Amino acid sequence: MYSFDVVKPGTLDDALAALGEDEAQALGGGQTLIPSLKQRLAMPSVLVSLTGIEEIKGVSSEGGVLTVGGGASHASVAREAASSYPALAALAGNIGDPAVRNRGTAGGSLANNDPAACYPAAALASGATIVTNAREIAADEYFQGMFTTALDEGEIITAVKFPIPEKAAYIKFEQPASRFALVGVFVAKYADGVRVAVTGASEEGVFRWTEAEAALSGDFSAAALDGLSVPAEGLMTDLHGSAAYRAHLIGVLTKRAVAQA
């Protein structure tokens, strides 16, 4: 790694002040940033740890909305969302391994927007609202491509508001070493329709499968997806699977998610 300083503020205001310094970067759980530092893909002069800020932690449910603090760990989401939003709790409980789940945070995952991460699919399928220190951003406007979001420099995710659906499920086909999603599909049924979000597949990151949404909004059954497919064009090809393979997985996993929901 390159050399850097670390500060650990205890309040959101102190963290924002620290991020105002030149070449400062926020550090959530560090599950993506630390490997990036080790590979010298990032070289901040100051890391601003958010782990000591209690005001951005916690999980609560009220009025049909589950609010997850930006600093809430995956493990805490798995525990505390189980009764109100089981599909989201199951997603969080199947990220990485126990060490990752106890260090990684919801806000960190969404801020990084890794193309194979699980939380972006949950946020997009749920029509979530990403709350920062400065504003609220609809999920449909937040995700802007691979590793790219609507966040401004120095902006911190303080919470994520998930409208709780009538039915939902997340199914992912794991890369066995990392447990990232080779393809992951989150399906959420609301009174006004169904939302389907896919992660791990596209060169542009997480996306909504609108054709499936239209079919499932009319008939929420796996059979409603018969004959539908996602074009392979624009999907990723790597050593784990071709674009055509990922396209096939999207169809299979969406049907499984609907059946599970």
Side-chain angles (χ1 to χ4, degrees):
M1 297 186 190
Y2 297 99
S3 62
F4 53 84
D5 295 323
V6 178
V7 297
K8 189 176 181 180
T11 68
L12 184 60
D13 287 343
D14 288 345
L16 292 169
L19 287 171
E21 300 295 326
D22 289 340
E23 298 182 9
Q25 188 165 350
L27 173 67
Q31 302 308 296
T32 297
L33 180 57
I34 298 303
S36 297
L37 293 173
K38 289 180 177 179
Q39 297 175 53
R40 297 198 168 197
L41 298 175
M43 50 180 185
S45 60
V46 179
L47 287 183
V48 182
S49 173
L50 307 180
T51 58
I53 306 175
E54 293 299 323
E55 62 194 286
I56 64 170
K57 298 180 182 180
V59 179
S60 61
S61 177
E62 184 178 358
V65 175
L66 179 75
T67 300
V68 175
S73 69
H74 308 322
S76 67
V77 175
R79 289 191 306 269
E80 298 176 37
S83 61
S84 55
Y85 198 162
L88 182 64
L91 175 150
N94 198 38
I95 292 174
D97 55 29
V100 169
R101 290 192 290 274
N102 281 285
R103 291 291 300 177
T105 63
S109 177
L110 292 170
N112 186 63
N113 192 21
D114 188 291
C118 298
Y119 271 102
L124 193 56
S126 302
T129 299
I130 289 81
V131 182
T132 76
N133 57 287
R135 55 185 170 144
E136 296 190 354
I137 312 168
D140 285 321
E141 307 298 327
Y142 177 81
F143 300 103
Q144 299 184 353
M146 188 180 294
F147 296 110
T148 305
T149 72
L151 290 176
D152 292 330
E153 188 172 350
E155 197 168 6
I156 295 174
I157 295 176
T158 58
V160 187
K161 297 178 181 178
F162 292 90
I164 299 173
E166 297 173 354
K167 299 177 181 180
Y170 176 66
I171 302 288
K172 71 174 175 179
F173 189 89
E174 297 176 354
Q175 199 285 335
S178 67
R179 299 188 74 181
F180 271 110
L182 188 63
V183 172
V185 179
F186 199 110
V187 174
K189 182 182 184 298
Y190 293 89
D192 59 353
V194 177
R195 294 173 66 100
V196 178
V198 180
T199 189
S202 174
E203 294 175 346
E204 298 300 320
V206 66
F207 69 95
R208 288 174 62 185
W209 185 11
T210 54
E211 288 182 319
E213 291 177 346
L216 293 170
S217 294
D219 174 14
F220 193 72
S221 70
L225 299 170
D226 289 345
L228 294 183
S229 62
V230 173
E233 183 179 358
L235 300 186
M236 292 188 287
T237 290
D238 56 24
L239 74 164
H240 303 299
S242 67
Y245 182 56
R246 282 182 163 87
H248 173 71
L249 280 177
I250 292 170
V252 171
L253 298 183
T254 305
K255 286 188 173 184
R256 291 181 183 177
V258 171
Q260 180 169 303

